[in-house]
Amino acid sequence: MYYYMCLLGGLPACLIKPFAKNTLCTAFMSNFPGDNTELVVVGYPMKSMYFAGGFTAGNIGMGFASISYNGNLRIVAGMDSAIVAADQLDARVFVEYFMAELDALKAEAV
């Protein structure tokens, strides 16, 4: 199976795209636990880490990705404009609601 994926991955995007369309998922959440200590790469400390994937128009309605690293949690959110138009989405309001939910979860966990 791995060999087929290597072959398919080498094909031009115009040949892959019709088969890569996701029709079964409206939302996803992904969590990648990172290292709890600061890593050093090529002699330089890595101060932060970022991750996002799968946020393509017409592919996923809403997606959340999170990664923890060195005691911090970074959350990335994306929405397809076919579901929520860009002029209707106020990112600041979304972040406020999201942070309120995180605070409520944290209060329940303590």
Side-chain angles (χ1 to χ4, degrees), residues 33-68:
D35 206 316
N36 288 331
T37 59
E38 187 174 76
L39 300 175
V40 176
V41 179
V42 195
Y44 293 93
M46 187 177 350
K47 298 294 182 187
S48 182
M49 193 176 289
Y50 179 87
F51 166 79
F55 301 139
T56 57
N59 191 24
I60 298 290
M62 182 183 298
F64 295 93
S66 65
I67 186 165
S68 59

Side-chain angles (χ1 to χ4, degrees), residues 2-90:
Y2 175 74
Y3 298 109
Y4 292 117
M5 292 178 73
C6 290
L7 290 173
L8 292 174
L11 293 174
C14 63
L15 296 177
I16 297 173
K17 195 168 185 172
F19 300 103
K21 185 103 171 139
N22 181 4
T23 58
L24 301 175
C25 182
T26 302
F28 81 91
M29 171 62 190
S30 178
N31 177 31
F32 290 98
D35 206 316
N36 288 331
T37 59
E38 187 174 76
L39 300 175
V40 176
V41 179
V42 195
Y44 293 93
M46 187 177 350
K47 298 294 182 187
S48 182
M49 193 176 289
Y50 179 87
F51 166 79
F55 301 139
T56 57
N59 191 24
I60 298 290
M62 182 183 298
F64 295 93
S66 65
I67 186 165
S68 59
Y69 173 68
N70 198 18
N72 295 304
L73 178 66
R74 184 174 298 244
I75 300 172
V76 178
M79 292 183 202
D80 191 337
S81 60
I83 293 176
V84 178
D87 61 346
Q88 295 176 344
L89 179 63
D90 185 346

